[in-house]
Amino acid sequence: MKKLLLPLLFSFAPFLGLSAQGWQADYSGVMLQGFYWDSFSDTRWTKLEKQADELSTYFDLIWIPQSGYCGGGNNMGYAPLYYFDQHSSFGSESELRSMISTFKAKGTGVIADVVVNHRSNVSNWVDFPKETYKGVTYQMQSTDIVRNDDDGATLTWATNNGYSLSSNNDTGEG
């Protein structure tokens, strides 16, 4: 393990299965956080794939950041413009697929950290791009944003600019 390029190793044991849909109730695997903040060079898909033999010896899952396209430059992936364009700061879609296949062949799963309500826009707060995937077009609308987002600042902006937000409120903290 001394040669690992990943300075932060977080292991998560049986509690993974308690809230994740599709996991066995008695799951007892160990997961590695395969990235850290601003780790674009150290944890590229190609570098993780090269470590698959060693990592698969110790870990059942590799946790990776969201892999959708976030625009130019380095980005951790938590504000994607596009979810179906899998070219990120960590590598290309083909590199991602190759890494996943390599780990899968060694019995190690790969799980992505996707925060669905984190999204970038094109020109203003509610201008989300359209995406077409397998013939179906998807586009978030201003009405997909909860009414009390940002403690009401978003509602004020939307009202002043002629947009409507959802009638639902956020269930978490502001």
Side-chain angles (χ1 to χ4, degrees), residues 100-173:
I100 292 169
S101 294
T102 298
F103 277 109
K104 185 176 180 180
K106 297 178 183 314
T108 301
V110 176
I111 187 166
D113 188 1
V114 177
V115 183
V116 177
N117 68 335
H118 287 197
R119 186 74 191 262
S120 284
N121 40 48
V122 178
S123 64
N124 67 39
W125 189 243
V126 297
D127 182 19
F128 301 105
K130 288 182 184 178
E131 289 190 84
T132 301
Y133 179 71
K134 295 188 176 185
V136 178
T137 300
Y138 301 90
Q139 183 176 24
M140 286 181 62
Q141 305 292 325
S142 64
T143 52
D144 293 321
I145 300 172
V146 293
R147 186 166 192 78
N148 65 338
D149 192 39
D150 292 338
D151 294 321
T154 304
L155 178 60
T156 300
W157 180 90
T159 302
N160 291 340
N161 288 280
Y163 292 97
S164 297
L165 300 182
S166 170
S167 60
N168 298 319
N169 283 323
D170 189 349
T171 57
E173 294 180 16

Side-chain angles (χ1 to χ4, degrees), residues 30-114:
V30 178
M31 180 171 69
L32 167 75
Q33 181 174 335
F35 66 100
Y36 55 95
W37 206 253
D38 294 338
S39 65
F40 318 108
S41 296
D42 292 342
T43 59
R44 289 189 58 79
W45 307 143
T46 54
K47 287 192 176 185
L48 287 175
E49 183 175 7
K50 287 177 184 173
Q51 298 177 55
D53 285 333
E54 184 176 12
L55 294 176
S56 293
T57 301
Y58 301 101
F59 300 100
D60 303 292
L61 286 169
I62 306 297
W63 172 23
I64 64 170
Q66 195 281 130
S67 57
Y69 179 73
C70 293
N74 287 334
N75 189 299
M76 285 304 298
Y78 294 100
L81 275 169
Y82 300 100
Y83 283 114
F84 299 112
D85 178 345
Q86 295 295 296
H87 292 83
S88 72
S89 297
F90 295 89
S92 68
E93 180 176 346
S94 62
E95 291 168 338
L96 174 63
R97 288 180 178 275
S98 179
M99 178 194 69
I100 292 169
S101 294
T102 298
F103 277 109
K104 185 176 180 180
K106 297 178 183 314
T108 301
V110 176
I111 187 166
D113 188 1
V114 177

